[in-house]
């Protein structure tokens, strides 16, 4: 495998530097004087003439960059004295006295073009939109000074906008106070048959806010194996300057990911850029695991699910039948008919759960409907089937709630992992031991798959649960005891040893940071102390003169104090926990506790930034489907990356909130408790 090296020249189409050629294109004249001056053609192309739009005076200039004499003329032009009230607008910000002020309106072509780029990116509009007559008519009415642009110019504007924002994101990553966690996933475009990789960076900023940015959305070159993808990741991290700041990477269960992670670990070990020899480096996508488990289990209950699916399809197929059904539900059963019967998508079990939930809501109506509609009777459920559906729906509810929490990307999920997965594990055990014979065969199959995942990864992110002040060590001990009984202490000890090992790494890191900051001042202070000691040497007691035990005694005291002092981790664990179901912002807690636990808070910052699902990367693929459509399948890969990344970065800056869009539910969640 050939890993990316800093000495290796990077090709132009590497997904990063190829945008520089767009930025370095010849710049257009941007001086404000050209809003009131008109360029005139000259026979000699090296000469430039400009005519004042007000007094029609003609001026000479050597180049378009020398405009100071033109600006002086405009400031003193007599014809410019009379101003039309149409050139003024009401300022959006009132004056200090609270009275709206009037300001002169000046058309800014650069800002307008950037706004058009924003419109195209956030709306997933075709670049050909700028050439449509309706768009040009709208812009002409909005601003007569606007000059029409072509689709090629619109693409260049978006690429330049991307390069500009990319530099800002790169600066944010460089300033990140802690380490950076990654999520990565692959996606195949059905319209181009290209394999795309999406890499998302997650970190906690200086204000203790969770941040995420897509840093790569790029078509891969075959073969699509672990070695090739590892090369792509190393190249990407090197280009962004974060190859020595990576804490973990969250991946799904694809077989090539194991090879890729092994290659990445070897590369990071060579650069000494990995903690605890990579024990915390790879995190499996928990949402993906739960998805596989539930889909596998639902196959065993396929008969009753198909019966429900076809029954709902029958009712919704006819508009008259559908209207009559909801009329009966409203008038005869007094149900809230704004909650509709839902059809599922067969490949998405969460939609199947929502279908079952809506079906149970209309149970009485459906029983009544089956009594007089002979065609529906083949889909009607028996009493035993209704009972089984209710049990199945209650069973799936736990998986659905846990998956929804795990799929968040705007709040920490690492601390929520342990409690959520424990609930699923406990549910599977209780079902097998319980009296639900309908579910027992299905759950046994699910339990086999789950046990493998739990045994391998319950130990990793349990450390993050301990750093949640609602859980700490006691809750982890309780959960393991309910599952493993007397053997629970072995698991807890393993978790604690891993956590202490990781904490020791951060203590060393903190001390090296502190010593480097204090190094310069210590030099001067030491000179003063040494000179002071020399003055007292004549009066010091000397017992023999051949052995000075003072330095050895100091080392002894330091070792003794190190052994006797409790670490910040021990002090934190001894404090009492908060209420188990209290709603807290775990990052806000550590922000306020960073003074007391200056070393432990460094660990908490990085550990809580770990995403336990790849939803952040997978959501980019949903957007990619809107960008790469049948009529836009010829877009260049660098253009696709620019559009996807720009959309993500603008949302991170609050663009959707600025224009009054309703936020997703996830955006409102600062803390989640099960």
């Amino acid at each position: 495998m050939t890993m990316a090296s800093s000495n290796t020249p990077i090709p132009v189409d590497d997904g990063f530097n190829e945008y520089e050629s767009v930025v370095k294109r010849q710049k257009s004249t941007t001086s404000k004087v050209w809003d009131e001056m008109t360029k005139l053609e000259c026979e000699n192309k090296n000469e430039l003439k400009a005519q004042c739009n007000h007094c029609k005076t003609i001026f000479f200039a050597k180049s378009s960059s020398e405009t100071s004499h033109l600006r002086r003329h405009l400031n003193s032009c007599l014809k410019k004295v009379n101003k039309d009230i149409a050139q003024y607008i009401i300022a959006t910000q009132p004056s200090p006295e609270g009275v709206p002020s009037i300001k002169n309106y000046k058309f800014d072509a650069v800002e307008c073009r950037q706004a058009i780029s924003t419109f195209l990116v956030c709306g997933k509009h075709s670049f050909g939109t700028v050439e449509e007559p309706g768009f040009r008519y709208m812009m002409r009415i909005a601003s007569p000074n606007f000059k029409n642009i072509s689709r090629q110019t619109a693409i260049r504007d978006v690429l330049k906008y991307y390069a500009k924002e990319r530099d800002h994101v790169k600066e944010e990553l460089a300033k990140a106070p802690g380490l950076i966690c990654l999520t990565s996933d692959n996606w195949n475009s059905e319209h181009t048959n290209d394999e795309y990789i999406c890499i998302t960076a997650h970190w906690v900023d200086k204000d203790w806010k969770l941040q995420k940015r897509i840093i790569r959305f790029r078509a891969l070159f075959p073969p699509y194996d672990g070695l090739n993808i590892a090369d792509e990741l190393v190249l990407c991290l090197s280009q962004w300057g974060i190859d020595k700041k990576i804490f973990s990477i969250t991946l799904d269960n694809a077989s090539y990911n194991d090879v890729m992670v092994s290659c990445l670990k070897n590369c990071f070990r060579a650069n000494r850029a990995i903690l605890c020899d990579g024990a915390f480096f790879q995190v499996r996508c928990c949402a993906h695991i739960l998805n596989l488990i539930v889909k596998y289990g639902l196959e065993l209950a396929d008969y009753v699910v198909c019966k429900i699916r076809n029954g709902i399809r029958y009712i919704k197929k006819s508009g008259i039948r559908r209207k009559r059904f909801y009329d009966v539900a409203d008038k005869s059963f007094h149900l809230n008919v704004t909650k509709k019967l839902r059809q599922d998508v067969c490949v998405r079990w969460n939609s199947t759960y929502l279908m079952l939930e809506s079906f149970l809501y209309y149970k009485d109506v459906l029983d009544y409907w089956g009594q007089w509609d002979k065609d529906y009777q083949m889909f009607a459920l028996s009493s035993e089937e209704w009972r089984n559906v209710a049990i199945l729906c209650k069973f799936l509810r736990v998986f659905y709630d846990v998956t929804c929490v795990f799929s968040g990307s705007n709040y920490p999920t690492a601390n929520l992992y342990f409690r959520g997965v424990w609930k699923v594990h406990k549910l599977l055990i209780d079902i097998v031991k319980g009296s639900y014979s309908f579910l027992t065969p299905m759950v046994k199959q699910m339990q086999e798959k789950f046990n493998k995942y739990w045994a391998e990864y319950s130990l990793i992110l349990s450390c993050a649960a301990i750093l949640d002040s609602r859980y700490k060590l006691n809750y982890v001990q309780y959960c393991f005891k309910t599952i493993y009984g007397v053997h629970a202490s072995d698991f807890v000890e393993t978790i604690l040893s891993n956590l202490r090992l990781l904490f020791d790494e951060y203590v060393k890191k903190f001390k090296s940071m502190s010593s480097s900051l204090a190094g310069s001042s210590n030099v001067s202070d030491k000179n003063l102390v040494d000179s002071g000691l020399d003055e007292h040497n004549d009066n010091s007691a000397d017992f023999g003169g051949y052995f000075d035990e003072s330095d050895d005694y100091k080392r002894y005291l330091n070792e003794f104090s190190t052994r006797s002092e409790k670490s910040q981790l021990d002090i934190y664990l001894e404090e009492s926990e908060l209420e188990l179901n209290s709603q807290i912002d775990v990052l806000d807690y550590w922000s306020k506790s960073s003074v007391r636990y200056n070393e432990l808070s460094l660990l908490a910052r990085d550990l809580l930034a770990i995403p336990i699902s790849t939803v952040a990367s997978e959501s980019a693929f949903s957007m990619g489907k809107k960008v790469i459509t049948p009529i836009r399948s010829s877009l260049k890969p660098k253009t696709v990356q620019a559009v996807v990344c720009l959309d993500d970065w603008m949302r991170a800056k609050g663009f959707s909130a600025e224009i009054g869009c309703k936020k997703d539910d996830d955006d409102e969640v600062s803390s989640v408790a099960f």
Side-chain angles (χ1 to χ4, degrees):
M1 172 178 169
T2 306
M3 287 295 181
S5 171
S6 58
N7 299 324
T8 305
I10 298 175
V12 175
D13 58 341
D14 64 350
F16 198 84
N17 294 286
E18 59 186 310
Y19 299 93
E20 304 304 326
S21 59
V22 180
V23 178
K24 293 177 181 177
R25 290 176 62 91
Q26 183 66 32
K27 293 184 178 180
S28 60
T29 52
T30 57
S31 176
K32 300 295 184 182
V33 302
W34 298 112
D35 293 339
E36 301 176 73
M37 289 280 183
T38 302
K39 291 182 181 179
L40 301 178
E41 295 183 1
C42 299
E43 294 181 2
N44 187 352
K45 294 184 178 180
N46 294 326
E47 293 182 359
L48 177 67
K49 289 183 179 181
Q51 185 180 49
C52 177
N53 294 344
H54 305 291
C55 64
K56 307 304 179 184
T57 304
I58 297 176
F59 299 88
F60 287 89
K62 291 182 180 180
S63 68
S64 59
S65 62
E66 297 179 7
T67 57
S68 56
H69 64 300
L70 303 180
R71 188 178 295 106
R72 286 195 298 270
H73 167 75
L74 290 173
N75 291 335
S76 60
C77 182
L78 298 176
K79 295 288 186 179
K80 193 183 174 185
V81 174
N82 296 324
K83 298 184 183 291
D84 186 0
I85 190 66
Q87 295 179 350
Y88 292 86
I89 61 171
I90 302 296
T92 55
Q93 297 295 333
S95 63
E97 294 79 15
V99 180
S101 59
I102 296 178
K103 69 175 184 179
N104 190 18
Y105 167 74
K106 288 187 178 180
F107 174 74
D108 191 330
V110 176
E111 187 176 353
C112 183
R113 292 264 288 271
Q114 184 168 305
I116 291 174
S117 297
T118 302
F119 166 77
L120 295 173
V121 168
C122 294
K124 322 313 183 284
H125 300 293
S126 168
F127 289 106
T129 302
V130 299
E131 295 180 349
E132 294 178 1
F135 179 84
R136 291 184 169 180
Y137 173 73
M138 176 185 70
M139 295 305 299
R140 186 168 66 250
I141 295 299
S143 178
N145 294 327
F146 175 75
K147 294 181 180 179
N148 292 330
I149 60 175
S150 66
R151 69 177 68 194
Q152 293 302 324
T153 302
I155 291 175
R156 284 197 299 270
D157 285 350
V158 168
L159 296 183
K160 285 192 287 187
Y161 192 14
Y162 166 82
K164 175 185 172 183
E165 291 298 318
R166 181 199 61 194
D167 292 340
H168 293 161
V169 175
K170 190 174 181 180
E171 186 178 354
E172 285 184 290
L173 291 170
K175 291 181 178 179
L179 299 180
I180 295 169
C181 303
L182 302 175
T183 55
S184 178
D185 204 356
N186 290 7
W187 166 69
N188 183 269
S189 172
E190 59 181 324
H191 303 302
T192 63
N193 204 31
D194 288 328
E195 188 82 8
Y196 281 84
I197 184 173
C198 180
I199 305 172
T200 308
H202 306 254
W203 74 97
V204 176
D205 64 17
K206 61 182 179 62
D207 298 319
W208 288 87
K209 300 296 181 185
L210 187 64
Q211 302 290 341
K212 73 173 183 69
R213 302 288 187 276
I214 295 176
I215 59 174
R216 193 79 158 182
F217 192 92
R218 188 73 178 168
L220 295 170
F221 295 102
Y224 310 125
D225 55 17
L227 295 175
N228 192 29
I229 295 173
D231 271 337
E232 185 74 16
L233 265 161
V234 171
L235 176 63
C236 172
L237 300 180
S238 176
Q239 289 170 339
W240 283 91
I242 57 175
D243 48 330
K244 294 185 178 180
K245 294 185 67 174
I246 302 303
F247 183 74
S248 70
I249 182 168
T250 303
L251 305 161
D252 62 18
N253 270 4
S255 57
Y256 56 76
N257 281 333
D258 293 332
V259 177
M260 180 194 69
V261 168
S262 178
C263 294
L264 289 176
K265 283 184 178 181
N266 291 335
C267 179
F268 291 151
R269 284 191 190 105
N271 296 329
R272 297 182 179 179
I274 194 168
L275 291 171
C276 299
D277 198 37
F280 292 83
F281 184 68
Q282 184 183 9
V283 179
R284 302 276 187 183
C285 174
C286 191
H288 184 73
I289 297 292
L290 293 181
N291 183 51
L292 292 176
I293 293 171
V294 176
K295 284 173 66 177
Y296 182 78
L298 278 176
E299 290 177 2
L300 301 176
D302 194 49
Y303 172 74
V304 67
V305 172
C306 285
K307 200 172 182 181
I308 293 171
R309 184 181 295 127
N310 293 330
I312 293 177
R313 188 178 293 124
Y314 168 79
I315 293 173
K316 299 185 74 171
K317 190 173 183 180
S318 167
I320 297 175
R321 189 185 301 122
R322 182 172 62 247
K323 183 179 182 303
R324 189 179 301 164
F325 177 85
Y326 289 122
D327 284 343
V328 170
D330 181 21
K331 296 174 182 177
S332 301
F333 293 89
H334 309 291
L335 296 177
N336 180 13
V337 294
T338 57
K339 181 176 181 178
K340 305 293 185 181
L341 284 173
R342 301 183 63 153
Q343 288 181 274
D344 70 332
V345 179
C346 298
V347 296
R348 296 182 179 178
W349 72 265
N350 54 337
S351 67
T352 302
Y353 161 74
L354 295 173
M355 178 186 73
L356 297 178
E357 186 185 46
S358 68
F359 195 76
L360 282 171
Y361 180 75
Y362 285 101
K363 177 183 180 302
D364 294 336
V365 184
L366 290 165
D367 282 340
Y368 171 78
W369 194 268
Q371 293 175 6
W372 64 270
D373 189 339
K374 295 181 180 179
D375 293 331
Y376 178 77
Q377 288 178 358
M378 61 183 297
F379 307 117
L381 301 186
S382 65
S383 299
E384 183 181 357
E385 287 175 330
W386 274 116
R387 175 178 170 273
N388 290 340
V389 169
I391 295 170
L392 179 62
C393 192
K394 185 178 180 181
F395 172 73
L396 292 178
R397 174 78 194 197
V398 177
F399 285 87
Y400 179 79
D401 289 343
V402 170
T403 302
C404 286
V405 172
F406 285 178
S407 300
S409 59
N410 295 313
Y411 54 87
T413 54
N415 57 308
L416 306 174
Y417 159 88
F418 185 83
R419 189 178 185 187
V421 174
W422 171 78
K423 281 181 176 289
V424 171
H425 198 171
K426 188 72 165 58
L427 175 69
L428 295 177
I429 293 174
D430 292 344
I431 291 292
V432 171
K433 293 180 179 178
S435 57
Y436 299 130
S437 57
F438 164 68
L439 288 178
T440 301
M442 178 180 75
V443 171
K444 282 184 176 179
Q445 299 286 345
M446 295 170 69
Q447 196 174 21
E448 289 179 8
K449 284 186 170 291
F450 182 85
N451 285 341
K452 179 183 177 182
Y453 174 73
W454 169 265
E456 188 175 358
Y457 292 101
S458 64
L459 303 180
I460 295 177
L461 289 173
S462 303
C463 297
I466 293 175
L467 294 179
D468 189 321
S469 54
R470 293 168 294 187
Y471 307 145
K472 294 193 176 181
L473 189 59
N474 286 335
Y475 184 77
V476 173
Q477 289 174 328
Y478 161 77
C479 292
F480 274 110
K481 188 174 181 180
T482 59
I483 295 173
Y484 298 111
V486 294
H487 302 291
S489 58
D490 297 335
F491 291 92
V492 175
E493 284 300 321
T494 305
I495 293 171
L496 261 181
S497 62
N498 281 331
L499 184 58
R500 292 187 190 281
L501 181 66
L502 187 59
F503 176 66
D504 289 341
E505 295 258 7
Y506 274 80
V507 171
K508 295 176 185 177
K509 178 181 175 183
F510 179 79
K511 289 181 177 178
S512 63
M513 289 169 52
S514 302
S515 60
S516 61
L517 291 174
S520 58
S521 60
N522 285 346
V523 173
S524 58
D525 293 343
K526 186 178 183 300
N527 292 335
L528 292 173
V529 172
D530 289 344
S531 62
L533 289 173
D534 291 339
E535 294 176 2
H536 297 282
N537 277 344
D538 295 337
N539 299 324
S540 59
D542 183 11
F543 297 97
Y546 61 90
F547 178 70
D548 183 4
E549 75 280 9
S550 59
D551 291 337
D552 191 52
Y553 179 60
K554 288 178 182 178
R555 282 193 294 271
Y556 166 77
L557 289 178
N558 288 334
E559 291 176 3
F560 181 79
S561 61
T562 303
R563 290 194 298 267
S564 60
E565 282 183 4
K566 291 182 179 178
S567 69
Q568 292 183 10
L569 178 60
D570 293 326
I571 296 172
Y572 166 78
L573 293 177
E574 288 177 359
E575 290 184 351
S576 58
E577 303 86 357
L578 300 179
E579 175 63 31
L580 181 62
N581 293 319
S582 59
Q583 296 286 331
I584 68 164
D585 185 339
V586 66
L587 291 180
D588 182 62
Y589 169 85
W590 281 107
S591 173
K592 294 174 180 175
S593 303
S594 58
V595 177
R596 277 192 306 155
Y597 304 119
N598 49 5
E599 297 169 349
L600 188 59
S601 64
L602 296 177
L603 171 59
R605 185 196 295 272
D606 294 340
L607 205 54
L608 293 173
I610 297 177
I612 59 173
S613 75
T614 58
V615 169
S617 294
E618 290 176 1
S619 61
F621 300 144
S622 298
M623 214 255 289
K625 293 177 183 178
K626 298 177 183 178
V627 175
I628 309 174
T629 61
I631 61 174
R632 303 180 73 189
S633 57
S634 61
L635 283 178
K636 293 182 179 179
K638 68 175 184 179
T639 306
V640 174
Q641 175 170 264
V643 171
V644 172
C645 289
L646 263 179
D647 180 77
D648 177 72
W649 299 344
M650 295 175 72
R651 291 180 186 277
K653 291 165 65 175
F655 178 77
S656 59
E658 289 177 7
I659 60 175
C661 292
K662 183 180 179 182
K663 290 186 175 183
D664 295 335
D665 292 341
D666 285 350
D667 296 337
E668 304 295 335
V669 180
S670 60
S671 171
V672 179
F674 288 96

